[in-house]
Every structure is written in C-alpha cells, then in structure tokens.
Amino acid sequence: MELDAILLSRLQFAFTLGFHILFPTLTLGLAPFLVLLEVLWLRTGAEIYMRLYRFWAKLFGLAFGMGVVTGVVLSFEFGTNFAPFSQATGNVLGPLLAYEVLMAFFLEAGFLPVMLLGWGRVGARLHLFATCMVALGTVLSAFWILAANSWMHTPTGFTLKAGIFFPADWWQVVFNPSFPYRLAHMLTAALLTGAFVVAGVSAWRLLQREQEETSRRAFSLAMGAAALFSAGQIALGDLHGLQVQRDQPMKVAAMEALWQTRPAAPLVVFALPDMDAEVNRYALEIPYATSLILKHDPQGVVLGLDHVAAEERPHVPTVFFAFRLMVGIGFLLFAVAMVGLVLRWRGALYSRRWFLRLCVACSPLGLVAVIAGWVATETGRQPWVVQGMMTTVEAATPLAVDTVAFSLTLYLLLYAVLLPVFLYFFARLVAHGPEQKLPEQVRAMRRTAWYR
C-alpha cells in the first residue's frame, strides 16, 4: 500500500469532514436561540421576538440543508477509503452512528418542516414543541457522533477477537473516559459560535442603521450568551486538558511541543517545532506554566514525546499551531465578551461603532476555532485511529494514488462551488433582515396559545 495514497485519503476525509462540521456547529449553536426567542414571544407577546425567530429560522434551515448535503458523503468514505477500519470497528461504531440517524436526524428532519412551514397550520404549542424537538435533535446528533469519536480516542467496553472489535459493555462504550469532557466542550463551543454569529450579524445591521430596535435586541441577547459561554468554555477547556493529559499524554506533549519528560515544564507560547532535531526553535516560554496547568504543581513531571518511539508521535507542528489557534481565539472571544459587559454597564453597548465592527470581525472566529480544535484533537491522536489498538495505516483501504487524487480533486471542486452558494444565500437573507410586520396567521397563533 502506498503511503501517499493513505495521506491523500486522510486529507480527503479531513477536508470533507472539516467542511461539513461548520454547518452542524452553526445549527447546534442557533437552535437554543430559536427556542428562547419563541418562548419569549409567547410569554411577552412582543412581536420583535417572533420577527427575530422567523429571520434566524431561515438561516438555520439553510445551514441545516448544507449540513445534510455535506454529511452524506462521509458515510461512504468509511467504506471506500477506510474499509479495514469499518470492518474492524463496525460492531461498536455502527450502532452508535445508526442511533445518530434514528434518534437525531429523523427527529430534526421530522419536525423541521413544522418549524419552518407550520405557520397558521399548527397551534402555538405544537410549533414550540417542534422547535424544541429540532433543538433536541441537534444535541442528540452531537451526543452520538461524539460518543463514537471519543471511543476511538479512549476505547473501553470492548473485546478484541481476530482483529475485530466486539462490544462487551455498551455503557462503557458510550460513556468512555473522554466522552463527557468532549461533549461538554463541543456543545459550549457551538453555543459560543452561535452567539457570535448572531452578534456579528446584528452588529452589522446596527452599523447600517437598519431595524435598530430588532438588531439591538438580538445583539443584547447574543452578547449576554457570549459572556456566559466564553467563560464556561475556558473552565471546560481546563478540565478537558487534564483528561487528555491522563488518557492521551502524547497528544498533550505535541500540543505543548514538549520533547523531553521533565519536571517544571514551561509553557511554550510560540516556537517553531523541529521534529528532526527534536527541539523548539525561537521559543518563547513561560517557566513552570505547563506543569502548573496540567499537574497543578509548578514542579510536576509532565511526560514528553521521548516517552514513545519517533514513529508513534503525531506531527508536532500541526498539533502545536492548531491548538494555539483554538486557544487564542477562545481567549479573544472571552475578552470581547467582557468588553461587551463593560459597555453594557456603561450604557454604551450599541453606540460604540468600533466595538460593533469588532463583533462583525469576530463572527466567524468560533467556526475557525472549532476546526482548529478538531485538527489538534485528531492529528494529536496519530498514528492511531483507535488509540493504542489500530493505526491509521492499518485502517486505510489499499487504493491507487491516482484513484484517491481524482476523488479528492472532485470534492475540492464541488465544495468550491457549494461554499460560495451558501455564503451568497446567507448574505442575501442577512441583507434582507427580519420582516417589518408579522403575517396575520402568525399573530393568530399566539392568540390561541396556552399562556393566554
């Protein structure tokens, strides 16, 4: 088997999955916002909330459709590019992925038409229920996908017979050691991403002086959520880091570019890791900081990359820089959210145009951080596809280089068309903005709500 073909298969899967993950992240972050808006409308009767709901529901539907289109190809790639992996792990991962379809996708697909098209056709209670079910579906989708992926990082609850994994304890399979941390981390990341997308769109409309009352209400809600979730993400990131240090120490060693096991390990703020020489060039370090963060002891011993053979180490520069990009964006978004709190306290949240421009610029950064974190997580696991049990080389289908290169080129061309199309329609919806007046059938729905 050509190693180049394996690399191309990995690049193809990374590209298609990385492109796909943008849209579930966005829908996962927006769904609770839609639930909140509909509840506020039903409770208060203020039409501004329903106008915002109908506006963001359109953007949600657009992202959901793109997620479906780009997600279909992933299941095929398991069979075409990683058939040995599918054969070996299918008994464990197959049911988890099936649960994602049966419990999450069908739930979302079943209630999404009611949510988007049920105006005047269903009552207020059923419509709110549909919105809640769609939101629940996004969470369940993340639950099962992350359960499957987390099992690959920290496999438990299985037996291995003739190279085939068999489930022995489904509770341990699903709730493997890394799963709770990764689920909480991803959910919070999606909510933070959604908050900044809403804030960025609302800030742009405020800068254009369009529908200021509606834009202010959405901007206020979004910045409040951003403050909450950015602080929570930092705390969850610390807990997750401790779990990774316990279960996958070489991933942490690559994230920190720590070549030797040592006490009082410094935090490398910046460097150019050299894998051949096993050194960090032009390093800027904070003494004792890595030991303090990971061991809660400035003299704590942290395992370095010398703990394993060179061929069992991940590609350090990729993991190192991707991790720093994720963390850097996380702290930047936290700082922006804190500035928002100060401006709110001073009564200047909507009047500082420099801050509105900053929020517009930050609106896509949550998605960038999600991709960077995913790259650090998955590359940091290499050379294993199932940690300590199966390597990526063993998992790949023996394909010709030309075959994989051809399919990768087709995906690149296809997605180069899909992304501009999505951005075009997204921009059109944003430019149009929320409707000025609710249709009568929507108003009638609240008049029949159980709150009245």
Side-chain angles (χ1 to χ4, degrees):
M1 189 190 305
E2 295 284 348
L3 184 60
D4 287 341
I6 298 174
L7 178 60
L8 287 176
S9 289
R10 291 174 61 193
L11 289 174
Q12 177 178 298
F13 195 79
F15 173 72
T16 52
L17 181 56
F19 190 92
H20 165 73
I21 201 176
L22 297 172
F23 305 105
T25 299
L26 189 55
T27 55
L28 182 58
L30 290 179
F33 182 59
L34 292 175
V35 173
L36 174 64
L37 290 174
E38 187 159 13
V39 169
L40 289 173
W41 173 61
L42 291 172
R43 294 285 295 187
T44 67
E47 292 190 359
I48 189 172
Y49 293 117
M50 182 46 62
R51 289 194 284 126
L52 282 170
Y53 176 96
R54 285 166 61 84
F55 169 66
W56 283 102
K58 294 175 185 177
L59 297 173
F60 177 94
L62 179 63
F64 180 85
M66 283 292 293
V68 173
V69 170
T70 57
V72 169
V73 301
L74 299 175
S75 58
F76 291 103
E77 287 182 295
F78 282 120
T80 56
N81 296 74
F82 297 97
F85 168 77
S86 300
Q87 182 181 17
T89 64
N91 296 314
V92 175
L93 298 184
L96 302 184
L97 298 178
Y99 295 151
E100 190 272 335
V101 174
L102 295 173
M103 293 180 63
F105 177 72
F106 284 179
L107 189 66
E108 293 173 286
F111 283 99
L112 186 64
V114 179
M115 189 183 98
L116 296 178
L117 305 173
W119 311 110
R121 297 178 175 89
V122 301
R125 285 181 291 181
L126 180 54
H127 195 276
L128 176 60
F129 181 74
T131 304
C132 292
M133 289 301 99
V134 171
L136 176 61
T138 64
V139 175
L140 288 175
S141 180
F143 180 95
W144 289 113
I145 293 297
L146 285 172
N149 184 256
S150 297
W151 182 86
M152 295 161 63
H153 287 263
T154 51
T156 54
F158 68 92
T159 59
L160 189 63
K161 301 176 183 178
I164 306 296
F165 295 89
F166 293 90
D169 185 330
W170 279 111
W171 184 268
Q172 291 186 23
V173 168
V174 175
F175 295 96
N176 57 79
S178 64
F179 170 66
Y181 300 93
R182 301 185 73 228
L183 178 64
H185 195 54
M186 182 61 203
L187 290 178
T188 308
L191 292 168
L192 180 59
T193 297
F196 267 96
V197 170
V198 174
V201 169
S202 304
W204 181 82
R205 295 190 62 79
L206 284 171
L207 288 168
Q208 304 302 313
R209 304 292 187 187
E210 296 182 9
Q211 297 176 316
E212 288 198 40
E213 181 186 2
T214 305
S215 299
R216 284 188 176 199
R217 192 67 56 89
F219 188 65
S220 175
L221 291 172
M223 290 310 300
L228 174 64
F229 295 127
S230 61
Q233 188 68 314
I234 292 173
L236 288 171
D238 179 63
L239 293 174
H240 188 23
L242 296 177
Q243 173 270 312
V244 177
Q245 166 64 21
R246 181 185 70 240
D247 297 319
Q248 295 174 290
M250 292 304 98
K251 182 190 294 187
V252 172
M255 289 176 175
E256 302 300 336
L258 186 64
W259 300 99
Q260 287 84 36
T261 300
R262 56 170 294 182
L267 174 65
V268 182
V269 178
F270 176 82
L272 296 178
D274 187 332
M275 292 191 66
D276 294 327
E278 299 185 5
V279 297
N280 295 323
R281 304 192 184 281
Y282 312 107
L284 175 62
E285 300 178 343
I286 300 176
Y288 307 103
T290 290
S291 289
L292 186 61
I293 293 171
L294 295 176
K295 299 297 183 178
H296 293 176
D297 177 3
Q299 296 295 331
V301 177
V302 180
L303 291 179
L305 291 160
D306 61 345
H307 188 69
V308 298
E311 60 271 16
E312 295 185 19
R313 300 171 187 171
H315 189 259
V316 177
T318 301
V319 181
F320 179 83
F321 287 112
F323 178 71
R324 271 146 189 75
L325 179 59
M326 177 193 70
V327 173
I329 290 175
F331 277 102
L332 172 61
L333 297 184
F334 174 73
V336 173
M338 293 302 103
V339 172
L341 285 180
V342 173
L343 292 177
R344 186 192 298 270
W345 177 65
R346 293 182 175 179
L349 182 61
Y350 315 109
S351 59
R352 297 293 187 267
R353 296 182 67 81
W354 63 267
F355 183 69
L356 297 176
R357 294 190 187 97
L358 178 61
C359 289
V360 173
C362 288
S363 59
L365 291 185
L367 294 168
V368 176
V370 167
I371 296 296
W374 172 74
V375 169
T377 296
E378 300 304 314
T379 307
R381 181 184 55 192
Q382 297 300 318
W384 306 103
V385 66
V386 178
Q387 183 70 43
M389 306 297 298
M390 186 180 194
T391 66
T392 304
V393 172
E394 295 169 338
T397 305
L399 297 171
V401 174
D402 292 345
T403 301
V404 187
F406 178 71
S407 61
L408 175 57
T409 301
L410 287 181
Y411 281 123
L412 289 171
L413 293 175
L414 175 62
Y415 286 11
V417 174
L418 281 178
L419 183 59
V421 169
F422 170 79
L423 293 176
Y424 170 76
F425 284 104
F426 190 93
R428 281 195 61 179
L429 290 172
V430 170
H432 186 267
E435 55 201 343
Q436 298 286 350
K437 185 178 180 181
L438 288 179
E440 179 56 34
Q441 67 265 32
V442 179
R443 291 176 172 170
M445 286 175 62
R446 186 182 180 274
R447 288 198 292 268
T448 62
W450 81 101
Y451 290 110
R452 296 184 60 81

